[in-house]
Amino acid sequence: MSSEVLEILEKTNGLLKGHFCLTSGLHSDEYFQCAKLYQYPYYTEQIGRMIAEKLQGLEFDTIIAPAVGAVIIGYEVAKQAKKRNLFVERKDGVMQLRRGYKLSKGERVVIIEDVITTARTIKETIECIKEFEPEVVATGCIVDRSCGKTGLNIISLAQVTPKTYEPDDCPLCKAGIPIEKPGSRTEVKVNA
């Protein structure tokens, strides 16, 4: 399944090759831009179905996805799994459950993200719904780049070990390849 997912991402230009600055501040020669995938509803539906199939056997009530990047895939997974769909979004830099959305105490949720590297957004999502006392059953994603370093049990379609470089020791910088920052986050962690 992993190779099929990566093929779909390449076909839809969701897997970019070049020189990229990641949110962590590290540099990489690949970048997953799932927004490109979402241009093609057929492929998005296919990916959503694959994630929903991997969630079979888990008991859950609701899918929650962080905005902006995971809203579409969260919706598609919820549609395929026939579950309720919510999203969280940033307001004043803080992830919040807004728009009148509520969770019941003990409601079983699965958090869906597009790409997980550090799980920072997943952890912010968990923090912002904590007041409702839900049960977070699982975390799912299209691509897991975390290499098992998040402390979370992640259900993914593809696990990728990224090539990353410290900015001061980046062979792409040394080769003079222009750097891009295609992600949705404006802040970048600066390595001191």
Side-chain angles (χ1 to χ4, degrees):
M1 185 180 297
S2 181
S3 62
E4 183 182 357
V5 170
L6 294 175
E7 279 177 32
I8 290 170
L9 286 167
E10 284 186 34
K11 192 181 300 186
T12 59
N13 294 316
L15 173 53
L16 308 175
K17 304 283 185 179
H19 183 192
F20 305 99
C21 181
L22 307 176
T23 301
S24 65
L26 297 174
H27 294 193
S28 182
D29 63 352
E30 320 187 296
Y31 191 88
F32 289 93
Q33 182 64 283
C34 291
K36 300 275 191 151
L37 164 71
Y38 304 150
Q39 298 176 99
Y40 304 98
Y42 167 78
Y43 290 121
T44 304
E45 180 179 14
Q46 189 176 351
I47 296 285
R49 185 179 304 113
M50 289 178 187
I51 295 172
E53 287 170 1
K54 287 199 104 174
L55 297 175
Q56 284 180 349
L58 294 178
E59 290 188 32
F60 66 98
D61 309 298
T62 304
I63 294 286
I64 298 178
V68 166
V71 170
I72 291 173
I73 196 61
Y75 174 85
E76 193 58 49
V77 173
K79 182 175 94 174
Q80 299 296 328
K82 297 179 175 38
K83 302 294 182 181
R84 182 165 82 123
N85 176 63
L86 303 176
F87 62 87
V88 297
E89 59 193 307
R90 288 185 197 288
K91 181 175 182 199
D92 301 324
V94 178
M95 200 64 86
Q96 299 178 22
L97 187 65
R98 301 179 61 215
R99 302 177 190 272
Y101 292 154
K102 302 258 186 265
L103 292 165
S104 301
K105 183 176 180 176
E107 187 168 343
R108 295 165 303 192
V109 302
V110 171
I111 299 171
I112 296 292
E113 179 62 291
D114 52 3
V115 179
I116 296 175
T117 303
T118 64
R120 177 177 156 194
T121 302
I122 297 293
K123 291 172 182 175
E124 289 175 313
T125 300
I126 292 168
E127 185 63 32
C128 87
I129 62 173
K130 194 185 284 186
E131 68 178 284
F132 296 101
E133 300 179 51
E135 178 187 346
V136 178
V137 175
T139 300
C141 66
I142 301 170
V143 179
D144 177 6
R145 291 174 46 109
S146 72
C147 301
K149 295 177 185 171
T150 65
L152 299 171
N153 180 22
I154 299 171
I155 298 168
S156 66
L157 297 182
Q159 291 183 329
V160 176
T161 303
K163 286 185 208 164
T164 58
Y165 311 101
E166 292 291 337
D168 295 340
D169 194 33
C170 176
L172 305 167
C173 287
K174 290 175 183 170
I177 299 170
I179 192 165
E180 297 177 62
K181 172 92 177 74
S184 60
R185 289 233 177 124
T186 55
E187 79 277 6
V188 173
K189 180 179 173 185
V190 177
N191 296 340

